[in-house]
Structures are given as C-alpha cells and as structure tokens.
Amino acid sequence: MKVEGSIKTVILGEIIFPILLLIFGIYHGLMQALYRAGIIKDMSFLGIEYYQGLTLHGVINAVVFTTMVIVAFGNAVFLYYLKRPLRPAVQWASFLMMVIGTLMAAWAMFAGKANVLYTFYLPLIAHPAFYIGAALLLVGSIVPLFFDWAPNYISWRREHPGEKVPLAVFGVFVNHIMWVIMLVPVVITVVFQMLPLSLGLVSEVNPSLSRTLFWAFGHPLVYFWLLPAYTMLYTVLPKIVTGEGKLYSDSAARFAFILFILFSFPVGLHHQFTEPAVTNSYKLVQALFTFGVAVPSMLTAFTVAASLEYSIKSKYPEVKNSLFYWWTKIPYISLEGDKWLVSYFMAGLFLFFVGGITGIVNASYNVNLVVHNTSFVPGHFHTTVGGLVTLSLLGISLYLVSKLMGKEIRFKGLAVLAPWLWWQGMLIFEYAMSVAGLHGFPRRTNTGISYLNPDSPLYRPEWVGYAELSAFAAFIIVLGFIFWAISFFGTLLSPSVREGSLEFPTAEALHDEKAPALNRLTPWFAISVALFVLSYIPALYDVTKRGVFFDSPGYTDKNPVPITKPQSAKEEKSTAEVK
Amino acid sequence: MDRAEKGAFITAVLFLSFFFALIVYAAKGLNIDVPTCITDVKPYTQGQVIQHAPNRYEIHYLAKMWYFEPADVELPVGSTVDIYLTSGDVIHGFQIDGTNVNLMAVPGAISYARVKFEKPGVYHIVCHEYCGIGHQDMTTKIVVKGGEQK
C-alpha cells in the first residue's frame, strides 16, 4: 500500500535517527571490550571515559534504538494491517518528543554530566537534562498508542464484529499497552525522586525504593523489546522462509502474548535477589512468576519451530518424513527476494536459545548468587536483546527502508552475511563473558587498569584469557554491524527504482480457531495489573517502612562527598521519616 | 491447541517446576538462601571485626567510594562468619570469590549473609556495582590461615 508523504517521513525518521546514534552505541561496545581486556589501559579514550562510554552504549542501544524502531514498526504494522490512516499531527508530536528527549539525554551523556549507566541507580545523580530527556523519549513513545492506534483499533473492531484483529496488530497493541503500564513505576521514581534530587529541590531520597520501582519497569522492559521480535517471528518469518509458509497456530501465538501480559510485571524482584531490605520470601514468589514468564517463550520456540517445519515440508516433499533433515532446507543464506531476512531471524533465534537458558539460570533465586553482577549477566543479555531483538530490528529496519523508499537492497550479500558474523561474535562473546562470570569477573568495571593490569597490585590473571577472548569477539560483532551498515546506508543513498510502498510478508495460520477468550484484552490486563500491584505491596512496604533506616543525599560519580547535603545530618534515623 | 502443542506446553511447565523444586530444596533444605530484610542491626558508620568465640566472627563491612572497611581481614580456617554490609554513600556491590556471598551495599539498609571458610586461602572481594570513577579499584580480601588457632 502507498504511504502518504508525511507519515512516511516520520516512520523513516524513527528508523534512521536512532541508527545514526547506534553507530556510537556500537563503537562504545567495542571500546568496552578493549578497556576490559586491558588493550586500552586508561580511564578514557578520545575524551570519553570508560563509564561514560558504558552509559552511552547502554542508553543508546537498549533504550533509544529499541524504543524508536519499535514505535516505527508499530506505526507500520497498524497502518498496513488496519488500512486506516495515521494522524500526521500525532505522529510528528511523538517523533519530535522522542528526538528532543534523546538529544537532551545525549547532550548530558556526551558532556560527561550523566555517568550513571543506563540503570541510573540513586543516589548517584545525573544532570537534570538526562532525566527530562529520558522522560520525553518515553512519553513520546506512548503518544501513538493513545491518539492513533487505540482509536483505529476500536473503530476496526466496531466495523469487523466477531473478527479477530490481525495477529501483528494484536502483538503490537498488547506490547504497547504493557509499555504504558510498566512506565508507571519508573516515571514515579524519575519524577518524584531523581529529578527533584538532581534539581536540588530535595536533599535526600530513598535509594532502595527507587531501585524497586526501577526494576518494576526494568524487567517488563525486556519484553517490550522482545515482543516486536516475536510478532515478526510469528507473522513474517514463516511466510518468507519458503514464500508460502504458514504460521502453525494462531491461538498459540495469542496465548503466548496473553501469558506475557500476565507474568511480565510481577517479576522485577529477580533483579534484586541480593537486595537488602526485602524479605526473601517475596523474592521467591517473584522467582516463581519469572519461571512463569519463561513459559510463553518456550511455547514460542515450539510454534516458530513448527511453523518452520510446516513451511519447509510443504515446499520440499522429499523431506516430508524427516525428523531433522528439514532443518537443512531453511534458506539460511539466500539472496532471493526477501529471503535475506531469514538470516536475521535464524541467527537471532540461535542466540536466543542460549539467552533463554542463561536467563533461567539468572532467575533461579539462590543460583543468582553465583552470577549476580558478574559478567555472566551481560553475556546473557547480549544474546537476548543484543541477539534476537537487535537482529530482528536491524533486519526490519533495512526491510522497511527499502520498501518505503522504493529502493532495491544494495550489497545484499553483505546484508545476508552480517547476522551470521554477529551471531558468531556474540556466541564467542557470551561464552567468554559467562564463563569469566562464573569465576567472579565483575560487570561494569574498567578492569583493564586494575584487575587485568599485570603492573597493578590488584592483578587477577585468571580473568585475562576470557577478557581477551571477548575483545576478539567484539571485533567480529562490529564487523557484522559494518556489513549491515554498508548495506543499510548503501540502500538508503541509492536512487529509488519504484514507488515507495508499505507491505509486510504475512503468514496465514495453519490452525486458526476463534478462541474469543484470547481476543478480549481488558480482562487479561485487569488481572495482570492486580497481580502486579499485589506482588509489589509487600516489597514496597519493606523498602519504605521496615528495612530502610534513612534516606540518602545525592552523589556524583567523581566525588565521595555528597552534593545535596552535608554528611553530618544523615547519621541515624527512624523509619517514620523514610517515605 | 493440538496434541503436539499441549505436549510442548506441558513439557515446558514440567521442566520449570522441576527446576523450581530444586531451588526451593536448596533454599529451605540446604539453607542456601538469598539475603533478606534485616532489622536487628542498624546501619553503622564504621567497619569492624567482632570475635564472639574461637571460630565465630561477625564482620561489619562498610562500603564507601572507593574502599571497604575493614580492609584486609585475617581469619583462622573453619571460621563461621556473619557478614553485615552497608554503604556510606552510593550503591556498591560485594562478592566474596569462591563463596555464595553476593550482596549489595545500599545506604540506609543492611545486607546479611553467613559463610563458613572451610579452606585456607585468599578470598578476594570485589565491588561489582558501578559506584563512580574509582570503582575498578574497589576491592579487599579475607585471608584464611590454615591450622591456626586464635
């Protein structure tokens, strides 16, 4: 379908702008590996400090790039499947808020006024522009849902009584409603704790409360990244893999999304297993829910594999009876039509297989004591968000740019090889980071000038080999990104060969049931919010009333003296004053 | 849902239930548990080592930008130690290499873990939560001496 000018500009902008920033994000990723391995033995390189680069790497890659491209994908999905125009005023407002917010936060980070990492734990504080910018970006990203997608969704339902909304719309819609819910706790801590402390309006805040609110957002956040990838795996992948493939079961896909609605929220305490001030039985309850939220991904593993099997076997009857041989017929590397995109999904899925297992390890309550805050954790999430999510988003970005602008994909060979280099690099990286983590190698640490420096009294030789291996892996990953970028910018800058249009390859469902219970979202969200609130009440009571004895003043990353209040005033105090 | 799907779903749930049962067994049966909410020790502003009995110690660790107090501690082998941890400024991390002690130091709150040092050796402790520019140098150790009686 044709997309009118202004909307097309917004969607392209929401892809191209974060990708320009992503170049910095990936560059700093490489730098991290070099610092950590001691190949760069310094506090800073080219004027950017290690921890400043780490903040940029985290915020750009995991927050800015994902959020903006996911909104672009949502816009494209709603436009294409509901065939209802998007409102230019809404779209421009959303896009500009996200761009201005990003630029504000980027200024604070590049200026070195926000070296707080992408988790920005209090009482370390950043420049107010960092928080205001982040808030603008996040609020801008929910504008399309409220003013464009929800009205279109409701009017579509009204005109198609008894029909299911297209699966892609269902997935995107569910994901963005979840996004709005999960933003509530982080907005509370940003608006009522971080920003006032950063502006000097208050002199002390409760860091434990802030951490708990942060992770009530921080975990569902990873599903906000993941669900667009799942939507693509369900709708796009089976179709392109053979040209006429089908999704194995529509209901199973919707059921997986419903399970995400239920279990994505009451799980944030699994990021705080080692947290003081929270009673451990509440942590155990959320560990159980975390295992619950692993189920929809296992179900997705089945549905996607079954869809691939069906699609392959219907095209190649000769592998009809094979258990394993059909795997070899998947077009892992193919230049035909849209099949280049299969490489992105398959490489992403293979990484996600590893990421799922390490995720279950992380979630396993007392087992988390072995790996918490070691390099095991970045090893894990580089195969999830850095694996399946990033590869899906990079793939769909290239796809949408070529379709919307009416351009042939240039350097298609590089585009097809890119995800496999990325995959190989990430696999080596994950191995090195995870195994080093089991030996206590800490995350978020400029180890090159201390623990991995033979001249330092802190030298820990047992970590050197792993860190060097991870640096080697980083080069392969970056090479993969360069391949992708050559193809992306080559396509972007090439002349148009046809009129731009929007289209998604869409697999029909092999098993398609009515399942009305799965298509009524309100009750599921009501249960989900109730579960979210109930599961957090005890923990919030602990971190405000029971286990935290006083609030803390703010600090910058450079100085052990608080900047919002003299040390003397903070000695003791009663729990009553907390909160 | 067809049969294969149900099979996959049930397999997933069974697997996870099995894992969870093992976790609960380790926590409740073997006492390998995560830190909990401590209210009997109030936040302190000085680190110290307290000896209660020949092999019973209590260490109050204070994490500050960018060191731990007390600094290096020496203990006899076989000591059981109650470790308390708090922070004097920002969030810090605390992991004793080769043990299950993995804590966060949060200002205003107390972390607690119990550990028994069965083997002599040097147990490195690193701060594993980002705490500012000096984070990579924030470390200390517990030296466990073999055969000594105090």
Side-chain angles (χ1 to χ4, degrees):
Chain A
M1 67 182 285
K2 201 175 160 344
V3 186
E4 50 186 291
S6 175
I7 294 293
K8 188 162 99 179
T9 312
V10 170
I11 296 177
L12 288 171
E14 285 167 350
I15 292 170
I16 295 163
F17 174 74
I19 280 169
L20 291 174
L21 278 174
L22 184 66
I23 295 170
F24 290 99
I26 298 221
Y27 161 77
H28 286 299
L30 175 64
M31 289 296 116
Q32 303 303 312
L34 300 183
Y35 279 110
R36 285 175 64 89
I39 295 166
I40 299 175
K41 277 194 188 62
D42 210 336
M43 262 328 280
S44 67
F45 185 74
L46 297 180
I48 303 270
E49 277 173 24
Y50 173 85
Y51 299 106
Q52 185 183 6
L54 184 54
T55 308
L56 285 160
H57 177 67
V59 173
I60 291 176
N61 296 14
V63 183
V64 176
F65 167 70
T66 50
T67 305
M68 288 187 80
V69 176
I70 287 169
V71 170
F73 175 66
N75 277 327
V77 160
F78 265 84
L79 191 58
Y80 178 71
Y81 288 101
L82 295 189
K83 304 273 182 288
R84 277 170 164 66
L86 298 175
R87 297 156 185 78
V90 172
Q91 292 301 329
W92 278 105
S94 154
F95 179 51
L96 289 177
M97 281 170 83
M98 291 196 288
V99 168
I100 294 167
T102 302
L103 291 176
M104 285 176 76
W107 169 79
M109 289 187 290
F110 275 110
K113 294 173 190 296
N115 296 353
V116 290
L117 308 195
Y118 79 120
T119 42
F120 43 92
Y121 292 138
L122 289 175
L124 270 183
I125 52 176
H127 191 280
F130 178 76
Y131 302 111
I132 297 171
L136 262 180
L137 166 69
L138 299 179
V139 173
S141 70
I142 61 174
V143 168
L145 171 70
F146 282 108
F147 299 105
D148 240 347
W149 304 346
N152 288 2
Y153 177 87
I154 291 165
S155 82
W156 189 95
R157 291 278 298 233
R158 205 168 287 144
E159 282 173 32
H160 300 77
E163 265 182 61
K164 297 190 288 191
V165 291
L167 181 60
V169 171
F170 185 85
V172 168
F173 197 53
V174 161
N175 194 32
H176 281 78
I177 299 175
M178 283 171 52
W179 179 230
V180 171
I181 297 172
M182 73 183 79
L183 283 177
V184 173
V186 74
V187 166
I188 292 174
T189 179
V190 168
V191 171
F192 295 103
Q193 295 193 293
M194 293 168 177
L195 201 50
L197 190 67
S198 168
L199 289 166
L201 301 177
V202 299
S203 54
E204 294 186 323
V205 291
N206 178 344
S208 298
L209 172 62
S210 176
R211 286 165 66 80
T212 306
L213 291 170
F214 180 85
W215 285 115
F217 153 79
H219 195 74
L221 173 65
V222 308
Y223 299 117
F224 173 68
W225 300 332
L226 190 59
L227 293 200
Y230 277 17
T231 305
M232 295 175 216
L233 292 178
Y234 286 137
T235 60
V236 176
L237 175 62
K239 179 74 178 174
I240 54 175
V241 79
T242 60
E244 69 256 35
K246 285 187 173 171
L247 168 65
Y248 187 73
S249 164
D250 177 82
S251 300
R254 286 175 205 249
F255 181 53
F257 284 127
I258 301 282
L259 288 175
F260 277 116
I261 296 177
L262 293 179
F263 292 129
S264 290
F265 299 107
V267 297
L269 286 184
H270 75 234
H271 291 260
Q272 298 173 278
F273 283 143
T274 63
E275 186 89 13
V278 179
T279 304
N280 53 14
S281 42
Y282 310 148
K283 296 173 180 171
L284 188 60
V285 170
Q286 294 213 358
L288 179 62
F289 285 134
T290 310
F291 276 24
V293 78
V295 172
S297 289
M298 291 175 157
L299 206 55
T300 302
F302 174 82
T303 307
V304 171
S307 307
L308 286 172
E309 181 174 1
Y310 173 83
S311 307
I312 294 290
K313 287 186 173 177
S314 58
K315 180 163 179 196
Y316 302 99
E318 68 269 25
V319 292
K320 195 100 198 144
N321 297 315
S322 87
L323 261 185
F324 300 108
Y325 189 63
W326 63 269
W327 277 98
T328 62
K329 298 283 186 190
I330 294 173
Y332 296 104
I333 296 183
S334 168
L335 298 178
E336 186 194 329
D338 291 331
K339 284 188 184 170
W340 61 272
L341 204 43
V342 173
S343 321
Y344 287 78
F345 294 125
M346 293 313 298
L349 279 167
F350 289 151
L351 285 174
F352 203 65
F353 178 77
V354 179
I357 294 169
T358 49
I360 289 171
V361 170
N362 291 338
S364 297
Y365 192 67
N366 30 28
V367 182
N368 185 262
L369 297 174
V370 181
V371 297
H372 172 73
N373 265 1
T374 67
S375 60
F376 190 91
V377 179
H380 155 71
F381 66 65
H382 279 81
T383 56
T384 55
V385 62
L388 177 62
V389 171
T390 304
L391 285 173
S392 302
L393 295 180
L394 289 179
I396 210 74
S397 298
L398 179 53
Y399 175 86
L400 282 173
V401 162
S402 91
K403 293 290 173 197
L404 280 169
M405 301 180 87
K407 295 177 176 186
E408 287 297 337
I409 292 188
R410 303 294 308 272
F411 307 104
K412 215 174 187 179
L414 295 183
V416 168
L417 290 176
W420 293 113
L421 277 171
W422 185 281
W423 167 75
Q424 185 61 69
M426 277 302 178
L427 218 52
I428 299 172
F429 182 79
E430 147 71 11
Y431 167 79
M433 294 286 274
S434 282
V435 179
L438 296 178
H439 294 285
F441 191 43
R443 72 187 284 199
R444 302 182 153 182
T445 308
N446 187 1
T447 48
I449 53 176
S450 57
Y451 305 126
L452 263 53
N453 180 357
D455 303 329
S456 163
L458 308 180
Y459 185 50
R460 300 283 296 274
E462 68 267 35
W463 292 334
V464 171
Y466 299 112
E468 287 176 349
L469 186 59
S470 71
F472 166 71
F475 278 109
I476 303 180
I477 298 166
V478 169
L479 188 62
F481 180 73
I482 291 171
F483 277 23
W484 176 87
I486 291 172
S487 177
F488 181 81
F489 289 104
T491 304
L492 190 67
L493 301 174
S494 69
S496 298
V497 293
R498 56 175 179 270
E499 215 183 330
S501 71
L502 176 60
E503 54 195 87
F504 278 113
T506 311
E508 305 205 342
L510 176 65
H511 298 293
D512 202 0
E513 296 145 34
K514 272 267 168 251
L518 296 179
N519 289 289
R520 295 191 48 82
L521 290 175
T522 319
W524 295 114
F525 273 108
I527 299 171
S528 159
V529 170
L531 199 59
F532 190 17
V533 173
L534 282 176
S535 75
Y536 262 102
I537 287 173
L540 287 172
Y541 177 79
D542 273 0
V543 295
T544 51
K545 297 285 184 197
R546 244 186 109 221
V548 178
F549 293 85
F550 50 75
D551 288 352
S552 300
Y555 292 80
T556 66
D557 61 308
K558 301 283 191 297
N559 196 334
V561 177
I563 57 165
T564 56
K565 195 174 182 184
Q567 189 100 30
S568 58
K570 90 171 223 270
E571 233 47 326
E572 291 263 289
K573 253 18 324 145
S574 74
T575 51
E577 169 186 335
V578 178
K579 154 105 204 230
Chain B
M1 275 200 169
D2 68 8
R3 249 175 39 129
E5 260 174 336
K6 279 196 190 113
F9 182 69
I10 291 167
T11 309
V13 172
L14 283 179
F15 252 97
L16 291 168
S17 308
F18 176 61
F19 293 159
F20 196 74
L22 290 179
I23 287 167
V24 173
Y25 172 69
K28 306 301 168 193
L30 304 175
N31 283 323
I32 305 170
D33 215 335
V34 304
T36 190
C37 183
I38 294 291
T39 54
D40 55 343
V41 170
K42 305 285 179 254
Y44 40 83
T45 51
Q46 266 187 327
Q48 56 179 326
V49 183
I50 305 160
Q51 183 172 11
H52 292 296
N55 274 325
R56 294 289 288 112
Y57 289 84
E58 192 175 311
I59 307 180
H60 290 198
Y61 274 107
L62 178 68
K64 297 196 73 164
M65 295 158 104
W66 293 281
Y67 59 92
F68 289 104
E69 205 184 286
D72 303 356
V73 173
E74 259 188 42
L75 297 172
V77 71
S79 300
T80 300
V81 187
D82 287 317
I83 294 197
Y84 293 90
L85 171 71
T86 192
S87 165
D89 37 53
V90 297
I91 313 280
H92 298 278
F94 182 96
Q95 182 180 24
I96 307 181
D97 221 20
T99 71
N100 286 331
V101 179
N102 192 333
L103 303 169
M104 302 303 290
V106 180
I110 301 287
S111 289
Y112 166 76
R114 174 172 289 179
V115 59
K116 185 169 185 195
F117 293 99
E118 311 262 20
K119 285 189 201 141
V122 178
Y123 290 80
H124 292 279
I125 297 169
V126 297
C127 171
H128 59 30
E129 184 57 80
Y130 170 63
C131 55
I133 198 86
H135 168 53
Q136 66 284 332
D137 301 317
M138 186 165 165
T139 178
T140 184
K141 55 185 182 280
I142 293 175
V143 181
V144 176
K145 292 266 168 92
E148 266 180 37
Q149 291 299 318
K150 265 201 168 179

